[in-house]
Amino acid sequence: MQFFGGSEISPSPPVPTATGNNAHMMYVFNRNGVCLLYREWNRPLHTLNPQQDHKLMFGLLFSLKSLTAKMDPTSADKGNLGVPQLPGQGCSFHSFRTNTYKLSFMETPSGIKIILVTHPRTGDLREPLKYIYNLYVEYVAKNPLYTPGTSIRCELFNTALDQYVRSIA
Amino acid sequence: MAAIYSLYIINKSGGLIFYKDYGSKGRMDTNDSLRVASLWHSMHAISQQLSPTTGCSGIELLEADTFDLHCFQSLTGTKFFVVCEPGTQHMEALLKVIYELYTDYVLKNPFYEMEMPIRCELFDVNLTQAIQKDRVVLLGR
């Protein structure tokens, strides 16, 4: 398994796009941890450089999924902590909130992880994330020029995404 | 009815000092609870690094499919977190009550060593009372 593809695959952060967008940023990862897309609309603080930031985000999600699968109070027999979970196996989280941001997460059966970081008082974003996944399917997966596992460079997807996120945040 | 499944208290270095399970099928043995607690401590710290704005103090609420996890961090770095049913209300208030009980029955106990596992009978008794009261209030609504 190829984890964390080299720097030529991870995209560098783009110039912040449309102003007036309330969402902070968005990540899309594939099942190997390669960051397919990173959109930034409103991020005053950059703690790490982009590659480290993507790896840290993926690592956090991987560990949180492992934690929720182990902590699940409704199932008696769980695997050991740290064993990689298949998409859909075990209890998974769909969002967490801190005092400065709310992170909403969705994983598809194919291992595509969509993460949206918004302000803390945002409501449940599971349906919007499903819609964003549909946008991904229409504009990226069905794009004959797109190679799976590489970073997403589809103008139509970016435009549709910006428009949609502006309407939900 | 809405109820809590378990309560964890971790010290400022991430070590588990108290774990109580209130009747979930997912009750963990000691080793697993220790691992889960330290994992949570690290995740809490990493989430501060990923914040898009300054002033982040870590995860306060984690929502999963079958449970919610509410976390309260005191000014000294001690973290109190409860695993409860999804959508349970007023967990922040309950965590503050538990924090008060901790300061009264644990920290003011002259035989308690800081950062060590909590073995204070009065704390256990009052904690059970507080949790039961919370349950009764919820069921009574």
Side-chain angles (χ1 to χ4, degrees), chain A residues 24 44-45 47 53 60 63 67-68 70-74 76 78 81 91-101, chain B residues 5 8 25-26 32 35-36 40 43 47 49-58 60-61 63-67:
Chain A
H24 290 294
L45 175 68
T47 321
D53 188 65
L60 176 71
S63 307
L67 181 87
T68 51
K70 186 68 188 177
M71 274 187 124
D72 187 3
T74 56
K78 294 160 277 196
L81 196 60
C91 175
S92 174
F93 76 104
H94 56 83
S95 77
F96 73 74
R97 190 198 72 210
T98 72
N99 58 330
T100 53
Y101 68 97
Chain B
Y5 288 119
Y8 298 71
K25 280 190 272 181
D32 279 337
R35 286 185 203 119
V36 157
W40 177 255
M43 297 298 105
S47 67
Q49 291 238 322
L50 291 167
S51 171
T53 51
T54 52
C56 184
S57 63
E60 292 174 354
L61 167 64
E63 292 173 307
D65 301 331
T66 53
F67 69 93

Side-chain angles (χ1 to χ4, degrees), chain B residues 66-104:
Chain B
T66 53
F67 69 93
D68 280 356
L69 189 153
H70 295 256
C71 180
F72 168 68
Q73 180 173 254
S74 72
L75 291 166
T76 53
T78 311
K79 290 184 252 307
F80 300 78
F81 59 99
V82 285
V83 174
C84 56
E85 283 183 10
T88 316
Q89 303 291 315
H90 312 303
M91 281 294 116
E92 288 85 34
L94 179 67
L95 283 170
K96 298 249 167 66
V97 165
I98 294 174
Y99 180 49
E100 256 192 74
L101 293 177
Y102 169 78
T103 56
D104 283 337

